Amino acid sequence: MRVCAVIPCFQEELRSSALEVLTKATIVASSSGGRVEAWLVGPTAEKHSSKAAQYGAATLRVMELEVDSEAKGVNVSLGRRIVDAVDELMTQSTAELATEGAPQPPSLLLFDNTELTKDVLGACGARLDAPVIADVVDLSWDGHQCIAQRPTYASKVMSKVHAEGSVILCSIRAGLFEPDEKPVKATTHRYKSRQTDLLGQVLKELVAPEGDTVDLTEAPIIIGVGRGIADETGKDLVAKLATLIRGEIAISRAHFESGMYSHTLLVGQSGKVVAPRLYLALGISGSIQHVAGMSESHTIIAINKDPEAPIFDLADLGIVGDLYQILPALIHALESTQA
Ligand SMILES: Cc1cc2nc3c(=O)[nH]c(=O)nc-3n(C[C@H](O)[C@H](O)[C@H](O)COP(=O)(O)OP(=O)(O)OC[C@H]3O[C@@H](n4cnc5c(N)ncnc54)[C@H](O)[C@@H]3O)c2cc1C
């Protein structure tokens, strides 16, 4: 079997979620006698290839996508180009293995579970006529099929999903596997992409989503802000605390609706799924829809004035009290220790 970590490359640094996927790929490959490939696709693909080899990929398939602002045609999304690239890499690598006379092993394609992957995973599955298992928290290969675990019903139930086929696609929830360096000597294969499609669409520009300045899926510390933070005074306290503990701010749907914070910070069933080292839940009741987005956090600390709030069932540490009294005291204590 070949286990292929599919890594979209469009940033200066390789994302930690990509390293986690490589780490999981090496674990699955070593327990099933398979080998690890990294498929690096995007405008910064070449730049990241050596890093992929440091994390266990012995075969690097690199497809650099050129961004050409002068090109004729209309701009196409990076996601669309990645779907094309995965399709092309599958066709070309399969043909190469055939000419080498190597047997055609099943291919397990692993993606991280970012917003970009959510856009492309289904389309990749349709193109390759392959089963897709999204948002996986663990997976293994038993010699014939992929067995994956994924949360369902807003994380109330963990389901075991089996998939068979010559190609299987999975996305892996970020924050669950510690990236583990396993340097190997790698062979690099470079591929040229079709830059324009039949509709004359071409990659002219990468457009960042509006207001999306923070990548919550990569943040080690997240402060989740709920309805208990009710005004500008509370918002200022949260901002001070975030600076002191170097945390990123996320919100419950209460603040999606209040307009106090950007919509892009929503965590939960309708927002982002995160698994930071620390999730500090401030004035969040713990609805199943919110918990669906943060229940896999490594440590959860909740502050809430209601001792019966469901968030305390999930929290590793709970503090019962009024945020408007606790936060100033906490900030004061942190400032004193940092002074
Ligand atoms: C289809 C659907 C999808 C949804 N998707 C999402 C989603 O993705 N994400 C999401 O978050 N929600 C989602 N929701 C909404 C969800 O059901 C809850 O309404 C929402 O999560 C509640 O947010 P909250 O915990 O901030 O507010 P509340 O439930 O109102 O809780 C506020 C908490 O703050 C505490 N509190 C108040 N004042 C203080 C104080 N001064 N000090 C300390 N504690 C205080 C209260 O005791 C209470 O526990 C969805 C709902 C539906 C129907």
Side-chain angles (χ1 to χ4, degrees):
M1 188 196 28
R2 55 178 180 154
V3 188
C4 311
V6 180
I7 305 175
C9 302
F10 54 95
Q11 287 160 321
E12 288 307 305
E13 293 294 324
L14 205 51
R15 297 163 56 88
S16 142
S17 55
L19 302 180
E20 288 175 40
V21 170
L22 278 163
T23 299
K24 189 60 190 169
T26 57
I27 294 168
V28 175
S30 68
S31 65
S32 60
R35 59 172 194 273
V36 181
E37 299 190 1
W39 292 12
L40 298 126
V41 179
T44 55
E46 191 68 51
K47 189 174 173 183
H48 299 313
S49 57
S50 56
K51 187 102 181 204
Q54 270 174 42
Y55 283 81
T59 303
L60 308 174
R61 302 194 188 278
V62 180
M63 187 179 276
E64 182 112 349
L65 300 178
E66 196 190 336
V67 181
D68 181 1
S69 58
E70 303 297 319
K72 285 207 177 97
V74 291
N75 197 25
V76 66
S77 73
L78 179 62
R80 172 64 204 277
R81 270 290 168 266
I82 285 173
V83 176
D84 293 340
V86 168
D87 191 5
E88 288 173 51
L89 283 177
M90 180 55 78
T91 308
Q92 294 194 36
S93 62
T94 306
E96 280 167 24
L97 290 172
T99 50
E100 287 164 14
Q104 291 293 341
S107 302
L108 182 59
L109 269 55
L110 303 184
F111 296 69
D112 61 7
N113 194 32
T114 56
E115 299 301 302
L116 178 62
T117 298
K118 285 179 194 162
D119 282 349
V120 304
L121 193 65
C124 289
R127 282 279 190 92
L128 301 174
D129 197 17
V132 169
I133 315 176
D135 197 19
V136 159
V137 295
D138 201 6
L139 83 155
S140 58
W141 178 261
D142 76 354
H144 305 286
Q145 59 182 347
C146 171
I147 304 163
Q149 296 202 36
R150 62 184 302 273
T152 40
Y153 297 115
S155 293
K156 284 278 174 208
V157 177
M158 196 61 77
S159 59
K160 213 179 214 184
V161 184
H162 297 235
E164 286 180 25
S166 55
V167 182
I168 298 165
L169 283 69
C170 293
S171 67
I172 297 180
R173 188 175 279 202
L176 299 180
F177 303 101
E178 201 63 52
D180 189 14
E181 279 197 51
K182 288 248 175 335
V184 288
K185 206 167 156 14
T187 316
T188 305
H189 303 253
R190 292 188 174 78
Y191 302 86
K192 254 193 108 49
S193 130
R194 283 182 272 125
Q195 293 289 10
T196 316
D197 67 12
L198 289 172
L199 298 172
Q201 297 178 112
V202 62
L203 194 57
K204 295 173 85 160
E205 186 192 2
L206 295 180
V207 185
E210 219 171 289
D212 210 2
T213 50
V214 178
D215 188 351
L216 287 175
T217 55
E218 297 274 301
I221 300 177
I222 293 181
I223 303 178
V225 182
R227 203 188 307 274
I229 295 293
D231 52 24
E232 288 300 319
T233 309
K235 194 176 172 184
D236 287 347
L237 289 170
V238 171
K240 261 191 201 147
L241 180 64
T243 309
L244 283 165
I245 64 172
R246 296 198 186 91
E248 298 295 350
I249 294 171
I251 56 167
S252 73
R253 181 135 137 204
H255 282 306
F256 188 84
E257 281 151 11
S258 75
M260 267 170 65
Y261 291 93
S262 160
H263 286 182
T264 58
L265 303 177
L266 179 68
V267 161
Q269 185 183 316
S270 338
K272 295 196 169 118
V273 176
V274 297
R277 313 297 307 171
L278 171 65
Y279 192 91
L280 180 56
L282 304 181
I284 288 180
S285 59
S287 67
I288 53 166
Q289 292 89 356
H290 187 78
V291 165
M294 46 66 78
S295 61
E296 300 294 331
S297 303
H298 295 243
T299 301
I300 297 170
I301 300 178
I303 307 179
N304 198 303
K305 67 180 180 185
D306 175 7
E308 303 296 325
I311 192 74
F312 288 133
D313 297 338
L314 191 68
D316 299 283
L317 176 70
I319 302 168
V320 179
D322 188 335
L323 282 161
Y324 286 83
Q325 290 171 2
I326 293 170
L327 288 186
L330 182 59
I331 289 165
H332 179 68
L334 286 165
E335 281 172 342
S336 317
T337 50
Q338 290 184 12

